[in-house]
Amino acid sequence: MKKQSTRRATKTSSKEDIIQLILADHKPLKKLIKIMKDVDNKSLNERRTAFSEFAPLLMAHANPEEFALYAELKTNSEDMRLEGTEGELEHGLADQLIEETKSTQDATLWSARAKILAEMVEHHIEEEEGEMLPEFKKKSVLEVRIELGKKYLERQKQLQEAPDHRIAPKKQNLSEHFHS
Ligand SMILES: [Fe+2]
Ligand SMILES: [Fe+2]
C-alpha cells in the first residue's frame, strides 16, 4: 500500500497534464507548417488548403495556452514571467499575420506571408517544446499542471461554443481564479 502511494506521489506525467495537452495540439500544427512553408514542392492550392486548416487550429490552441499556461507563468512564476509575456506577444504577431494573409489576393505576396507565418510559428513551437515546457515541468508539480490542463480544455470548449467572446471572459475568469 505504501509503495503505491509513493509511486503516485512521484508520478511526473499524465494525459491531463497541460504539457501533454499542448504537445498533442502542436502535432497537427507542425504538419501544416511544413506544407505552408514548402514553396518548392507544394502547390499554391495545397498551401492554401493547409493555411485554411492552420488558422482556426492555431486560434484554438493559442488562446487557451495564453489563458492557462502563460497566465500562470506571468502571475505565479517570477523566473518565467518574461517567457509568458514573449509567448503572448508572438501569438499576437501570428494573429496579425493570419489576418493579413487571409486578405492577400496576390499569389506571390500570399506565399511570402504564409511562409513567414509558418516559420515564425515553427520557431515559437520549437522554443516552447525545447525551452519553456521543459523549464516549466522542472519548476512545477503535476497537480498544478493537471489543474492548468483542466483550464486549458475548459477554455477550448468555451471558444468552440462562443468563438466571438475570445477576450472578455478571459480577464473575468482569470481574476476569479487568482483570488479564490
Ligand atoms: Fe504558444
Ligand atoms: Fe503552443
Side-chain angles (χ1 to χ4, degrees):
M1 285 298 269
K2 265 186 181 171
K3 261 191 180 169
Q4 233 179 12
S5 61
T6 312
R7 210 175 298 155
R8 197 174 300 153
T10 55
K11 203 176 155 200
T12 55
S13 186
S14 155
K15 269 195 298 189
E16 298 153 302
D17 182 337
I18 188 164
I19 294 183
Q20 298 308 318
L21 296 172
I22 287 176
L23 291 175
D25 282 356
H26 282 175
K27 276 186 191 162
L29 289 170
K30 289 198 272 189
K31 272 189 197 163
L32 294 166
I33 283 170
K34 269 197 188 130
I35 301 171
M36 282 159 59
K37 66 175 201 171
D38 191 0
V39 289
D40 294 327
N41 300 301
K42 301 289 178 194
S43 69
L44 181 62
N45 247 349
E46 284 173 300
R47 286 179 282 119
R48 278 195 191 278
T49 306
F51 171 76
S52 63
E53 275 180 59
F54 174 84
L57 217 54
L58 182 67
M59 206 75 94
H61 166 63
N63 182 277
E65 187 178 65
E66 284 169 33
F67 184 74
L69 178 64
Y70 296 176
E72 171 73 14
L73 300 182
K74 286 168 66 186
T75 315
N76 294 331
S77 169
E78 217 154 286
D79 331 334
M80 296 193 70
R81 189 169 295 152
L82 181 67
E83 274 122 307
T85 307
E86 193 186 323
E88 204 170 86
L89 290 176
E90 285 175 355
H91 284 187
L93 290 173
D95 264 359
Q96 233 174 288
L97 256 177
I98 284 176
E99 290 313 311
E100 284 170 10
T101 308
K102 274 183 189 168
S103 60
T104 301
Q105 301 298 321
D106 180 80
T108 307
L109 189 56
W110 187 92
S111 294
R113 283 192 164 136
K115 187 166 177 262
I116 291 170
L117 169 70
E119 286 171 347
M120 198 186 87
V121 179
E122 182 176 49
H123 177 71
H124 174 85
I125 288 178
E126 277 168 7
E127 277 196 341
E128 282 183 353
E129 294 189 355
E131 294 167 33
M132 180 193 274
L133 296 176
E135 189 183 346
F136 179 61
K137 188 170 184 176
K138 259 190 232 158
K139 290 178 176 163
S140 60
V141 293
L142 182 61
E143 266 181 356
V144 167
R145 296 200 303 273
I146 288 177
E147 227 11 77
L148 294 172
K150 278 185 201 149
K151 255 180 99 175
Y152 180 85
L153 292 176
E154 266 167 35
R155 183 69 185 154
Q156 248 173 2
K157 202 168 153 237
Q158 264 184 349
L159 287 176
Q160 269 169 2
E161 286 162 3
D164 293 341
H165 299 287
R166 288 209 306 141
I167 306 302
K170 182 175 166 179
K171 284 187 181 146
Q172 192 191 342
N173 285 354
L174 269 184
S175 60
E176 272 168 20
H177 176 80
F178 286 112
H179 288 124
S180 60

